[in-house]
């Protein structure tokens, strides 16, 4: 019991990840000449805003026990649509992008929930198709966004540390935390991620929730893409694989499990902030980029070890074998042991 | 070619229908598959310059590099470890090893590359097999580690060949790229390993039901690690050909290979959940994607449209395979 509450990964993992990176950030003056400027904090939130919504989208589907690989496809498409439809009015651009994101999420959710297909191959296919669609919309070229006042507005400094873009991103994390914390959706989302059959029996409307999660994921990713395009003043048809890998790393560092049933939006926020802080530390300290890569690798290996069931069981077995008066409690899982007691 | 070793599609559907005559209609999915095949064939036949020897060569050549890596991924997927997201990075790192070892001669460089690829990937497979680690998270971690180490060692610059031996891999005996012959030979070997060896049969069982395989006393960890080792060796073969073709290698050598390989395996109809699939199916998937891209290219569609259609093919096959096999494996 004590062990399980200490190592509860949905709070421990983001705390450790965020803690490590905050310490690294606070130590910045030790290895650079200048102190920490408020600009560094602003910049961290800008990096956070760049990928935050994609990480939130991916993380929400992971909590529900799915894995939406298409987020980066929707992100690219949303950015492209926002630029192409929003040349005159940013609102039209955002609406078109978000509408497309919602439609993509709806179709994927219906296919996955309706046919009970594993989401990874479906969303992988959608990811490839969406990248192709985005590229064919722009003939494979970047599209410039000529509405400079919008570009200036989304990145202007607000309250020293923020920009409208990072505040919108933070706000959406807050909305997600509030909705999942207050309503029963939060519990139900974790329930369908943990044991879908049991939650169906318990009266959770599983299919509806899965479809809703994918719609939310599509909307968030498309909005993230639109904000990025406005900020850069252009839309890039091929964001590459890096955003997906970083968003997945952020979600995992946020305490979400790929097995599903675990995680909160606040944890995701912590994980994403850790990724952003690390990127900022590396930039300011002018560390070679491969240090970041190795750092991510190390963090993810720790997560893998925490999450690997057979390894954990093996460790628990080894520990119980070491103690001479072996208790009668089953050595498999702490939580089932607690249920029996 | 595919009908030789695959279970005939019609029989499978008939079985399905007789065992579970319930709410799903196998006849509907049969019709969809037949129509789709007819549509592709009709499109090909009506496309100018599609039915030529030169074009057939172009198709198999473009399928060969992705196909070899996809063969490796097929083993991973059959064994129930879903996917590796580190294929591009492994190929890039091994390509760099291969080119920088050229001064030793072609064969030692090739051996070094294959051993390197197998070792990197087997290590991941061992963690997945023995500790039941999540392969997606683990291979994301591995992709960071491989790129990080490769960048650190190479100083972020491109590696160029230290000898000319690699040029033999660019040979075109009989007018066909060497990689095509290698692909076909490897398909035969992998198919034989999967069907005729104890390892192959164990791999299907591990993928189908890991706890049952473990309960039955099978070497789950070792089987998984060996499957990943073979996969790594096959990634290394792709890496050697890719590096030889490009004559230099950096950390971006792998390009979009990870997703291309997954697309080829899935388009062949191997389900991501494990326990089923074959080398021949993956070959068919790789050729199907290459052929359809080729049709679109000849008809003047942009790269974007080709990529989009590739995604839609994968989506179509994933859904159809799932609908058709659900009843039999419920």
């Amino acid at each position: 019991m004590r062990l399980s509450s200490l190592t509860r990964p949905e709070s421990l993992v983001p705390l450790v990840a965020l803690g490590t990176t905050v310490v690294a950030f606070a130590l910045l003056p030790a290895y650079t000449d200048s102190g920490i400027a408020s600009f560094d904090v602003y910049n961290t939130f800008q990096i956070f805003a760049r990928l935050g919504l994609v990480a939130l989208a991916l993380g929400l589907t992971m909590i529900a026990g799915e894995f939406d690989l298409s987020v980066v496809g929707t992100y690219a498409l949303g950015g492209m649509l926002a630029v192409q439809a929003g040349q005159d009015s940013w609102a039209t651009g955002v609406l078109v992008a978000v509408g497309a994101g919602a439609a993509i999420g709806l179709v994927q959710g219906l296919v996955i929930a309706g046919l009970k297909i594993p989401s990874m191959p479906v969303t992988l296919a959608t990811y490839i198709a969406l990248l192709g669609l985005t590229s064919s919309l722009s003939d494979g070229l970047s599209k410039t966004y000529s509405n400079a006042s919008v570009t200036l507005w989304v990145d202007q400094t607000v309250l020293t540390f923020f920009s409208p873009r990072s505040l919108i991103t933070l706000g959406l994390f807050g909305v997600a935390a509030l909705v999942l914390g207050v309503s029963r959706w939060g519990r139900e989302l974790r329930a369908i991620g943990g044991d879908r059959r049991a939650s169906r029996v318990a009266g959770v409307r599983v299919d509806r929730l899965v479809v809703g999660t994918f719609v939310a994921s599509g909307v968030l990713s498309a909005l993230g893409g639109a904000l990025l395009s406005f900020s850069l003043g252009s839309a890039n048809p091929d964001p590459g694989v890096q955003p997906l890998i970083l968003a997945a790393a952020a979600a995992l560092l946020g305490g979400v499990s790929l097995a599903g049933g675990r995680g909160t939006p606040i944890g995701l926020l912590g994980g994403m902030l850790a990724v952003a802080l690390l990127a900022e530390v590396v930039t300011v300290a002018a560390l070679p980029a491969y240090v970041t890569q190795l750092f991510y690798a190390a963090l993810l290996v720790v997560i893998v070890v925490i999450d690997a069931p057979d390894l954990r069981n093996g460790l628990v077995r080894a520990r119980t074998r070491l103690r001479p008066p072996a208790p009668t409690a089953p050595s498999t899982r702490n939580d089932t042991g607690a249920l029996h007691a | 070619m595919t009908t030789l070793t695959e279970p005939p599609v019609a029989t499978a559907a008939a079985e399905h229908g007789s065992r579970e005559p319930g709410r799903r209609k196998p006849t509907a999915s049969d019709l969809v598959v037949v129509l789709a095949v007819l549509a592709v064939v009709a499109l090909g036949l009506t496309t100018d310059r599609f039915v030529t020897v030169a074009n057939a060569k172009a198709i198999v050549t473009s399928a060969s590099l992705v196909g070899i890596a996809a063969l490796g991924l097929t083993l991973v997927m059959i064994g129930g470890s879903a996917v590796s997201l580190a294929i591009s990075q492994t190929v890039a790192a091994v390509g760099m090893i291969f080119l920088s070892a050229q001064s030793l001669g072609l064969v030692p460089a090739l051996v070094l590359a294959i051993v390197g690829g197998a070792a990197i990937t087997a290590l991941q497979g061992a963690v997945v097999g023995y500790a039941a680690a999540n392969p997606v998270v683990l291979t994301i971690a591995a992709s960071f580690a491989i790129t990080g180490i490769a960048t650190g060692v190479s100083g972020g610059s491109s590696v160029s060949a230290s000898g000319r031996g690699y040029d033999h891999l660019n040979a075109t005996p009989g007018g066909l790229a060497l990689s095509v012959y290698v692909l076909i030979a490897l398909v035969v070997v992998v198919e034989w390993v999967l069907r005729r060896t104890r390892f192959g049969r164990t791999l299907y069982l591990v993928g189908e039901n890991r706890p049952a395989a473990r309960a039955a006393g099978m070497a789950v960890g070792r089987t998984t690690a060996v499957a990943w080792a073979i996969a790594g060796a096959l990634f290394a073969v792709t890496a050697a050909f890719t590096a030889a073709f490009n004559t230099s290698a950096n950390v971006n050598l792998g390009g979009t290979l990870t997703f291309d390989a997954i697309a080829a395996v899935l388009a062949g109809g191997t389900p991501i959940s494990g326990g089923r699939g074959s080398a021949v199916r993956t070959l068919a998937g790789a050729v199907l994607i290459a052929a359809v891209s080729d049709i679109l290219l000849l008809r003047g569609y942009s790269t974007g449209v080709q990529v989009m259609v590739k995604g839609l093919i994968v989506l179509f096959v994933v859904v159809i395979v799932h609908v058709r096999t659900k009843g039999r494996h419920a």
Side-chain angles (χ1 to χ4, degrees):
Chain A
M1 278 296 280
R2 193 167 53 89
L3 186 83
S4 76
S5 64
L6 269 178
T7 59
R8 187 171 289 159
E10 65 262 45
S11 43
L12 182 75
V13 173
L15 274 177
V16 169
L18 194 55
T20 323
T21 46
V22 165
V23 168
F25 186 72
L27 288 176
L28 262 183
Y31 37 84
T32 56
D33 299 333
S34 54
I36 298 172
S38 62
F39 178 74
D40 293 330
V41 181
Y42 169 86
N43 228 8
T44 305
F45 281 110
Q46 289 298 96
I47 300 171
F48 163 79
R50 193 182 180 106
L51 270 180
L53 293 182
V54 177
L56 179 60
L58 182 64
L60 288 178
T61 61
M62 284 165 73
I63 296 173
E66 306 286 347
F67 192 70
D68 188 356
L69 278 166
S70 72
V71 285
V72 175
T74 316
Y75 180 66
L77 182 70
M80 188 56 74
L81 287 176
V83 163
Q84 298 204 337
Q87 291 289 5
D88 299 322
S89 144
W90 63 268
T92 319
V94 169
L95 270 182
V96 170
V98 166
I104 292 162
L106 184 67
V107 171
Q108 294 197 103
L110 287 174
V111 168
I112 288 163
L115 297 173
K116 298 184 177 54
I117 302 190
S119 54
M120 201 195 258
V122 172
T123 55
L124 175 89
T126 325
Y127 165 69
I128 297 172
L130 288 175
L131 283 186
L133 176 64
T134 310
S135 165
S136 63
L137 278 179
S138 69
D139 297 322
L141 304 169
S142 287
K143 285 277 176 208
T144 22
Y145 187 59
S146 47
N147 200 336
S149 58
V150 176
T151 301
L152 289 175
W153 184 82
V154 289
D155 283 339
Q156 66 182 305
T157 315
V158 181
L159 304 170
T160 320
F161 300 130
F162 304 103
S163 69
R165 191 159 68 100
S166 61
L167 283 177
I168 291 169
T169 310
L170 282 168
L172 285 169
F173 270 92
V175 169
L178 199 67
V179 168
L180 295 190
V182 171
S183 74
R184 58 194 179 133
W185 288 335
R187 283 193 309 273
E188 292 189 350
L189 203 62
R190 279 191 289 278
I192 67 169
D195 189 336
R196 197 151 289 188
R197 195 173 293 180
S199 29
R200 201 184 293 273
V201 172
V204 177
R205 288 174 173 164
V206 173
D207 294 351
R208 221 182 262 196
L209 207 54
V210 169
V211 175
T213 309
F214 274 94
V215 171
S217 164
V219 166
L220 290 169
S221 316
L223 187 61
L227 285 174
L228 179 68
S229 289
F230 288 157
S231 157
L232 297 174
S234 72
N236 176 7
D238 185 12
V241 192
Q242 194 75 350
L244 177 69
I245 301 290
L246 280 182
L252 293 166
L253 295 180
V256 174
S257 153
L258 256 184
R262 202 181 75 200
T264 60
I266 295 298
L268 286 171
L269 177 67
M272 188 58 227
L273 280 175
V275 166
L277 269 171
L278 181 65
E280 178 65 12
V281 167
V282 168
T283 314
V284 173
L287 293 172
Y290 70 88
V291 174
T292 330
Q293 310 257 4
L294 294 179
F295 185 76
Y296 284 133
L299 281 177
L300 289 173
V301 164
V302 172
I303 290 172
V304 165
V305 171
I306 291 174
D307 269 351
D310 285 3
L311 195 64
R312 199 175 48 217
N313 293 349
L315 287 176
V316 171
R317 263 198 301 277
R319 202 181 305 131
T320 37
R321 222 177 292 137
L322 283 174
R323 284 191 210 123
T328 48
S331 64
T332 45
R333 285 179 73 115
N334 294 320
D335 42 1
T336 50
L339 273 178
H340 288 298
Chain B
M1 177 153 194
T2 55
T3 45
L4 282 177
T5 37
E6 262 183 301
V9 174
T11 344
E15 261 176 40
H16 175 197
S18 59
R19 273 191 218 165
E20 191 165 316
R23 54 203 172 85
R24 271 184 301 279
K25 297 182 193 131
T27 47
S29 76
D30 276 349
L31 191 66
V32 171
V33 171
V34 169
L35 282 180
V37 171
L38 284 180
V40 172
V41 170
L43 262 179
L45 291 180
T46 55
T47 303
D48 200 21
R49 283 171 315 187
F50 180 75
V51 200
T52 58
V53 176
N55 194 48
K57 282 180 187 169
I59 293 175
V60 286
T61 306
S62 79
S64 61
L65 292 185
V66 171
I68 295 171
L71 272 184
L73 186 65
T74 308
L75 293 173
V76 169
M77 223 181 262
I78 289 175
S81 324
V83 290
S84 163
L85 293 183
I87 301 175
S88 296
Q89 289 78 7
T90 309
V91 163
V94 171
M96 291 159 88
I97 296 175
F98 175 70
L99 284 188
S100 57
Q102 283 303 313
S103 52
L104 307 174
L106 175 64
V107 174
L110 209 50
V111 169
L112 198 65
I114 289 174
V115 169
I120 297 171
T121 315
L123 183 65
Q124 300 161 46
V127 180
V128 171
Y130 287 104
N134 187 305
V136 174
V137 189
L138 183 77
T139 53
I140 290 178
S143 72
F144 279 122
I146 294 168
T147 307
I149 294 171
T151 317
V153 171
S154 71
S157 54
S158 286
V159 174
S160 40
S162 57
R164 294 291 301 167
Y166 69 86
D167 227 19
H168 292 293
L169 295 187
N170 293 327
T172 51
L176 258 182
L178 183 62
S179 54
V180 176
Y181 297 96
V182 173
L183 170 67
I184 291 168
L186 287 172
V187 168
V188 172
V189 171
V190 171
E191 190 69 27
W192 181 81
V193 167
L194 281 172
R195 292 189 179 273
R196 295 275 172 259
T197 65
R198 191 188 152 99
F199 159 76
R201 286 191 293 266
T202 313
L203 188 66
Y204 279 103
L205 280 168
V206 170
E208 178 85 40
N209 192 335
R210 185 186 158 100
R214 165 154 295 177
M218 288 173 174
V220 172
R222 197 181 62 213
T223 307
T224 310
V226 170
W228 283 66
I230 301 174
L234 292 169
F235 299 160
V237 174
T238 293
F241 277 113
T242 313
F245 183 76
N246 287 299
T247 69
S248 77
N250 61 20
V251 285
N252 298 318
L253 181 75
T256 57
L257 188 69
T258 298
F259 292 111
D260 292 341
I262 300 176
V265 178
L266 292 177
T270 296
I272 207 163
S273 46
R276 275 169 289 148
S278 75
V280 176
R281 273 172 176 262
T282 297
L283 177 67
V287 172
L288 172 70
I289 288 178
V292 172
S293 296
D294 181 74
I295 292 176
L296 293 170
L297 184 72
L298 288 176
R299 287 182 165 253
Y301 288 99
S302 67
T303 322
V305 175
Q306 293 172 36
V307 175
M308 182 171 78
V309 172
K310 176 165 80 179
L312 294 178
I313 291 174
V314 175
L315 185 60
F316 177 80
V317 175
V318 164
V319 169
I320 287 289
V321 166
H322 182 81
V323 169
R324 295 175 70 100
T325 52
K326 213 162 122 187
R328 283 188 286 154
H329 279 265

